[in-house]
Amino acid sequence: MSSAKLKFPIYMDYQATTPVDERVLEEMLPWFSEKFGNAASTGHVFGEEAAAAVKTATRQIAGILNAEEKGIIYTSGATESINLALKGISAAFYGRRMHIISVATEHKAVLDCLKYLQGQGVEITILPVGSDGLISPRDLEKAIRPYTCLVSVMMVNNEIGVLAPMEEIGAITEEKDILLHSDATQAVGKIPVDIKKMNIDLLSCSGHKIYGPKGIGILYLSRRARHIPIGPQIHGGGHQRGLRSGTLNVPAIVGMGKACEIAQKEMKKEAERLLKLRNRLFVAITRELDQVQVNGSLERRIPGNLNLSFEGVDGESILLAMREIALSSGSACTTAAIEPSHVIRALGFGDERGHSAIRFGLGRFTTEAEVDYVAKKIIKTVGRLRGLLP
Ligand SMILES: *Cc1c(COP(=O)(O)O)cnc(C)c1O
């Protein structure tokens, strides 16, 4: 182990956000000052070159999804895309009896949106997950009602990294003629995503989870979804088929496009590299520590995620004892108290499991030396907190 190459603090929280890749930044820079045109002002060369840059980015983003360019709507990020998808579809069915099915481990953007819609009279079913963090397609089938209009299932979970059985889910919604939305924020750029094979009608994702800038995301609409009168959430100007008005953020769009191009090109190699690093981390930790539980299926998981519970120790205490490492714990500070994560809770092992959980998020700039350092440090820290070491 050569700690000489290490730079502190060590970032191991790639599911929270990622740095902008230098290659992405370079592509973005001219679009701030030098080429500042409004992509909607196509009466002159400034607007035309901006519109052409957006077109290139749209092609790059559509490419990584196997999607059609005209289905892409730019937003400020996945949270906005999810709001537009769920509220927009509900608006299209306004006045009719309506039912939406989703999953207990979804991101708060989905769950809070659904809670809001429930208050508006939409019927909501939240499916449970098994101890592996996955839903059973049978449960989904059983939950479908004659007036179910939408199913929303995240492709990859942001806390435990597990992969939903998307193709099976897509086959069910296709057969029952129900729209399928997927929050694919943690999937795009990491695993192959094919909206056609998966039968996805609406897909949300974000720039800043894939080495692009913050404040940019997309909602993808399939041909079927494009025929539904989705209710816009932001009115004015009629940009983007009237679905999301406002001047396009050209530098961020260019950045998200470039980020997708790079991710698509490097995905296969990078996945292999990250899997090796994650296994190295897992083996090192579990060789030295007992009573360590893996949260979620270890096999059906993106390579850059590991989520472990260290029995008898508090995740927050672990983080406080290793301030030179950026990790995420299984608890979230709400205004009232420290709450265990709703995702780990949904696995059915009790609150203790969530309180003692740590998420290791590995990414493009994670090195072997960093993994070795983090493993060594967490072994020492957990040992000390358990009172076994001085
Ligand atoms: C980060 C994240 C979001 C929110 O994305 P923003 O672009 O930050 O709004 C939604 N869903 C998942 C799964 C995420 O990881």
Side-chain angles (χ1 to χ4, degrees):
M1 174 185 165
S2 62
S3 55
K5 279 179 290 181
L6 284 174
K7 273 213 305 221
F8 293 99
I10 292 171
Y11 189 71
M12 206 170 270
D13 200 14
Y14 279 86
Q15 271 95 62
T17 193
T18 61
V20 172
D21 190 296
E22 289 290 339
R23 294 166 289 180
V24 170
L25 180 62
E26 202 173 301
E27 203 78 14
M28 288 172 68
L29 286 176
W31 300 97
F32 285 99
S33 291
E34 187 191 325
K35 307 178 181 189
F36 58 86
N38 184 329
S41 309
T42 46
H44 51 67
V45 67
F46 293 87
E48 281 161 7
E49 68 182 1
V54 170
K55 201 165 164 37
T56 302
T58 305
R59 178 161 40 74
Q60 290 163 325
I61 297 165
I64 205 169
L65 304 174
N66 188 27
E68 292 145 341
E69 289 169 42
K70 60 179 160 202
I72 288 175
I73 308 286
Y74 290 103
T75 66
S76 64
T79 301
E80 188 192 328
S81 301
I82 291 162
N83 272 264
L84 177 55
L86 303 182
K87 293 178 186 166
I89 290 290
S90 300
F93 286 79
Y94 186 75
R96 277 185 268 170
R97 194 169 185 195
M98 198 191 326
H99 177 230
I100 299 177
I101 302 171
S102 192
V103 185
T105 50
E106 292 287 313
H107 192 273
K108 287 287 179 185
V110 169
L111 294 176
D112 288 355
C113 231
L114 293 178
K115 209 181 287 172
Y116 165 80
L117 289 170
Q118 194 167 34
Q120 302 289 304
V122 179
E123 294 174 39
I124 307 288
T125 298
I126 301 293
L127 297 174
V129 295
S131 57
D132 57 0
L134 299 165
I135 62 159
S136 128
R138 294 304 136 256
D139 285 352
L140 170 62
E141 261 181 328
K142 276 187 270 172
I144 292 170
R145 301 175 191 170
Y147 50 93
T148 302
C149 60
L150 181 68
V151 169
S152 188
V153 177
M154 74 195 319
M155 204 174 287
V156 170
N157 185 276
N158 50 303
E159 289 188 36
I160 56 177
V162 296
L163 308 161
M166 225 52 227
E167 285 185 35
E168 279 178 76
I169 293 165
I172 294 168
T173 52
E174 172 83 356
E175 199 226 313
K176 305 269 184 186
D177 202 24
I178 297 166
L179 292 162
L180 175 61
H181 168 255
S182 185
D183 172 2
T185 311
Q186 295 288 346
V188 172
K190 295 170 192 166
I191 58 160
V193 174
D194 187 325
I195 58 108
K196 298 206 174 88
K197 260 197 209 153
M198 297 169 170
N199 269 312
I200 289 171
D201 297 293
L202 305 100
L203 177 142
S204 298
C205 68
S206 183
H208 75 98
K209 304 284 174 79
I210 54 169
Y211 311 94
K214 294 173 180 60
I216 188 74
I218 62 132
L219 174 65
Y220 174 74
L221 303 174
S222 69
R223 188 197 316 228
R224 180 154 81 128
R226 294 201 293 275
H227 281 103
I228 290 169
I230 293 172
Q233 304 304 303
I234 297 176
H235 299 86
H239 305 75
Q240 307 198 82
R241 323 160 136 257
L243 275 177
R244 205 278 194 173
S245 287
T247 302
L248 290 179
N249 184 349
V250 178
I253 290 170
V254 167
M256 186 166 175
K258 184 68 182 177
C260 284
E261 187 195 63
I262 294 170
Q264 193 175 5
K265 217 174 281 171
E266 301 182 353
M267 187 186 303
K268 199 158 171 274
K269 265 212 165 117
E270 178 64 0
E272 286 168 16
R273 191 187 75 89
L274 284 175
L275 188 60
K276 268 195 209 137
L277 286 179
R278 187 191 73 198
N279 287 341
R280 186 180 177 95
L281 181 65
F282 180 63
V283 168
I285 292 172
T286 50
R287 197 170 42 209
E288 295 295 328
L289 291 175
D290 292 328
Q291 289 156 306
V292 177
Q293 286 102 18
V294 183
N295 293 311
S297 164
L298 189 58
E299 295 74 37
R300 290 192 51 86
R301 171 186 305 248
I302 51 163
N305 173 281
L306 185 61
N307 191 309
L308 302 175
S309 283
F310 298 90
E311 222 177 288
V313 263
D314 190 53
E316 288 296 309
S317 310
I318 296 177
L319 296 194
L320 281 172
M322 348 191 284
R323 295 285 298 160
E324 79 280 27
I325 305 167
L327 291 165
S328 173
S329 79
S331 317
C333 291
T334 62
T335 41
I338 296 181
E339 287 266 330
S341 131
H342 71 284
V343 175
I344 315 259
R345 192 184 262 171
L347 304 177
F349 298 110
D351 285 2
E352 156 72 15
R353 185 85 169 240
H355 281 306
S356 63
I358 296 284
R359 178 181 70 185
F360 302 85
L362 289 69
R364 190 172 286 168
F365 307 106
T366 303
T367 65
E368 207 168 84
E370 286 178 340
V371 163
D372 291 346
Y373 181 90
V374 170
K376 220 173 98 176
K377 188 66 192 260
I378 200 142
I379 291 162
K380 220 170 103 184
T381 305
V382 171
R384 193 167 51 74
L385 290 170
R386 279 177 176 169
L388 303 172
L389 289 172

